[in-house]
Amino acid sequence: MDRAEPKVRRTQEERTAQTRLALIEATIASIGDYGYAGASTTLIAQRAGVSRGAMLHHFATRATLMAQVVRHVFDNEMAEYEDTRVRTGMGDNLFDWPRLLWSVLSRPPGMAVLEILQATRSDPELAELVVPMQEEVEQSALTVMRGAFGGDETLARTVMRLMVWSVRGLSIADRYLPHRAETEHAILLLGEMMRLAAPDGRMEKMRVPIEK
């Protein structure tokens, strides 16, 4: 008779990481199903399979949990962009990025972050945690973008915001309005506009008109 293999006991650190991840994933799913306002801590704890007390042990307030969701999603998105670039080559040129951004930001985690960002307008605690984090996130992404495509910081930030927030806006349209094909065409058109502005796939020759 075969002897059963002994169970491997998880360390406290592993258990903590698993619980925190379960809460973050439950938050993303709850926002996707019920919106930011409907994603209560009670619902999130139930969905993660933990007690509300255990949740508060890891995240003292709802705002701290939401801020950690933003951090978690950003880290995963950056890893996914790089993985896609390495596997497929998409992302080697600047004009690839509207499609690449769309493939990531229109998913439930990206939409959850967008709702959290919008909620900072009416939640001072959330704003205090998330707005500086979003600025840090943008600066990190900006450093990566400049390293890949050149350009000075002002130009790179302008181009990045054009692409990221155009795609975020189109992701909202895709959720609430019909005609998905036209939304996807808009993504392709944005990529073509970037190709015309930077045919070699870099930013050095791009010019941003400045109103005087």
Side-chain angles (χ1 to χ4, degrees):
M1 183 174 180
D2 295 335
R3 296 178 62 184
E5 293 185 5
K7 292 183 178 180
V8 178
R9 294 178 63 86
R10 294 177 299 159
T11 65
Q12 181 61 43
E13 184 178 350
E14 290 171 335
R15 291 194 295 272
T16 295
Q18 185 174 31
T19 299
R20 289 171 68 88
L21 179 60
L23 286 164
I24 289 169
E25 291 178 342
T27 302
I28 292 170
S30 297
I31 292 174
D33 289 343
Y34 304 105
Y36 178 83
S40 67
T41 53
T42 299
L43 175 64
I44 292 167
Q46 290 175 345
R47 199 158 195 164
V50 303
S51 68
R52 191 168 181 275
M55 185 187 72
L56 293 175
H57 173 73
H58 292 282
F59 301 103
T61 67
R62 185 170 183 260
T64 58
L65 171 59
M66 295 298 172
Q68 191 57 43
V69 169
V70 173
R71 170 63 67 190
H72 172 82
V73 171
F74 170 72
D75 289 344
N76 281 0
E77 287 173 349
M78 293 300 290
E80 188 166 359
Y81 293 142
E82 179 61 15
D83 178 66
T84 300
R85 188 192 66 78
V86 170
R87 285 188 299 101
T88 69
M90 185 170 70
D92 286 339
N93 294 296
L94 188 64
F95 45 74
D96 293 334
W97 275 83
R99 284 188 301 136
L100 185 53
L101 289 164
W102 173 254
S103 71
V104 173
L105 295 181
S106 62
R107 294 177 185 173
M111 295 300 295
V113 166
L114 185 55
E115 290 207 36
I116 293 170
L117 291 173
Q118 291 172 317
T120 62
R121 293 188 61 192
S122 57
D123 187 332
E125 181 189 1
L126 184 66
E128 185 177 356
L129 293 171
V130 170
V131 173
M133 182 182 295
Q134 179 62 24
E135 292 174 351
E136 177 191 339
V137 161
E138 182 178 86
Q139 190 63 43
S140 297
L142 189 64
T143 300
V144 173
M145 185 176 180
R146 290 185 66 197
F149 306 118
D152 62 38
E153 184 167 341
T154 299
L155 174 61
R157 192 185 303 277
T158 300
V159 173
M160 185 173 67
R161 284 187 173 177
L162 171 64
M163 291 193 294
V164 169
W165 291 96
S166 293
V167 171
R168 286 198 185 280
L170 287 167
S171 69
I172 295 174
D174 186 58
R175 170 173 287 187
Y176 297 112
L177 299 174
H179 310 299
R180 180 182 178 87
E182 285 83 345
T183 302
E184 293 178 340
H185 292 163
I187 296 293
L188 297 177
L189 178 58
L190 180 58
E192 185 59 25
M193 291 167 64
M194 297 305 300
R195 186 192 300 273
L196 293 172
D200 63 353
R202 294 181 62 81
M203 289 191 292
E204 283 88 345
K205 297 180 181 178
M206 295 179 70
R207 295 290 181 270
V208 178
I210 299 177
E211 185 178 348
K212 296 182 179 180

